[in-house]
Amino acid sequence: MDDPQSRVALVKTSDRKEGVRASIQALDVNPVQGKHVLIKPNFNTADAAPGSTHNDTLTALVDELWAMGARSIRLGERSFPVTQEVMEEKGVLPLLAERDVEVIDFDLLETKDWVATDAEGSHWQNGFRVARPILEAECLVSTCCLKTHQFGGVFTLSLKLHVGVVPTTRHGFDYMRELHSSPHQRRMIAEINAPFKPDLVVLDGIDAFVDGGPMFGRRMRGDVFLASTDRVAVDAVGVALLKLLGSNEAIMNRPIFAQEQIVRAIELGLGASAPDRIELVAANEASREETDRVAEILGQG
């Protein structure tokens, strides 16, 4: 019997609060009710969205998760510069405190809380480590941006977001040097995702980088939000959105399901294995035309 389809909800909007609310509600599932929730945002740097998660998206997401019945909410992150400094520059700490969200700075984790793990058929030399709060989260919610990646990743959506759960040299490990110097970088990005599974993924595509990225790049308005419980499906639809906007050669000249991040994620069983395994749904009537356009591109594989 075929695997069940993964639903991805699409909202055409320029309002981040509406994008968060409508995309999640269109999924018609609630993985949050009664759970201890951990949010993984995109705080690689403090650059303006889509360089990092927009503060309005983050606060709207927190408010929605509380409304959905979350038992508690924490946010965990490891940034590229010092994480505390990134959060301070973004101004998120008082916003999170106002909303009773505990912040877990992965920079402050002890060595024992960077847990050694790996993926089947790994391209990592000796496996990799993942922040313990990610592995032990009762409910993991990831929120990513819509953008390309100029340093070898090709795109940085839901799968690439989770590079931030792996330590850097300032934690005593040299994984980032290994990742960025490897010809298998895109496969290794997917492999980071093997030891855990987000329960909900929300993508903010109001602003997009269609070239460059992840910190800065050629900016276009996407005016769209996505939500799903399947990170591979989010990435496939996200690449379709980049194609619709008109992106660089690495996006435009390769089929979606031939992108190495997606190919490897499918090999590992992390999500939707083909376009017909994704149910792309318009969250409302105003989103239907955009949804149909994206679905047509997605259907080409």
Side-chain angles (χ1 to χ4, degrees), residues 38 113-117 129-138 140 195-196:
L38 177 65
D113 291 323
W114 290 108
V115 181
T117 186
R129 292 175 182 263
V130 171
R132 187 181 299 277
I134 294 290
L135 297 176
E136 297 183 353
E138 184 178 20
L140 178 61
F196 58 89

Side-chain angles (χ1 to χ4, degrees), residues 267-282:
E267 289 175 353
L268 292 168
L270 302 185
S273 60
D276 64 359
R277 296 296 87 208
I278 298 173
E279 180 190 7
L280 185 59
V281 297

Side-chain angles (χ1 to χ4, degrees), residues 42-234:
N42 181 353
F43 290 170
N44 182 54
T45 65
D47 292 279
S52 67
T53 300
H54 197 289
N55 287 6
D56 291 349
T57 298
L58 182 62
T59 55
L61 179 60
V62 169
D63 292 346
E64 187 66 21
L65 295 176
W66 280 127
M68 292 168 69
R71 186 174 177 184
S72 69
I73 303 177
R74 302 181 298 167
L75 178 144
E77 180 63 301
R78 186 275 294 161
S79 302
F80 170 56
V82 176
T83 304
Q84 178 74 16
E85 294 177 359
V86 170
M87 293 193 196
E88 288 176 354
E89 185 176 345
K90 282 188 61 61
V92 299
L93 295 174
L95 297 174
L96 294 170
E98 289 170 6
R99 289 166 169 78
D100 198 23
V101 176
E102 177 189 355
V103 174
I104 306 175
D105 182 345
F106 292 168
D107 283 352
L108 305 181
L109 294 178
E110 297 180 19
T111 300
K112 67 179 179 62
D113 291 323
W114 290 108
V115 181
T117 186
D118 208 348
E120 184 178 354
S122 178
H123 293 81
W124 291 85
Q125 293 176 11
N126 297 296
F128 51 92
R129 292 175 182 263
V130 171
R132 187 181 299 277
I134 294 290
L135 297 176
E136 297 183 353
E138 184 178 20
C139 178
L140 178 61
V141 175
S142 298
T143 185
C144 52
C145 302
L146 180 62
K147 53 187 176 179
T148 51
H149 188 271
Q150 64 183 303
F151 302 118
V154 178
F155 54 88
T156 175
L157 305 171
S158 179
L159 293 166
K160 181 68 170 62
L161 173 77
H162 295 114
V163 172
V165 309
V166 174
T168 70
T169 52
R170 68 176 180 266
H171 312 110
F173 304 99
D174 207 12
Y175 295 125
M176 294 304 99
R177 185 186 302 273
E178 180 184 352
L179 177 66
H180 290 108
S181 64
S182 174
H184 304 296
Q185 178 184 158
R186 292 167 293 281
R187 297 181 179 91
M188 294 162 73
I189 289 166
E191 289 163 3
I192 287 170
N193 287 262
F196 58 89
K197 181 184 184 299
D199 298 279
L200 177 65
V201 180
V202 176
L203 181 148
D204 175 357
I206 287 182
D207 295 293
F209 289 150
V210 296
D211 196 18
M215 298 167 284
F216 51 85
R218 182 159 66 93
R219 180 185 296 268
M220 290 189 69
R221 292 284 293 195
D223 286 337
V224 67
F225 260 77
L226 302 177
S228 182
T229 60
D230 182 336
R231 61 199 135 165
V232 180
V234 167

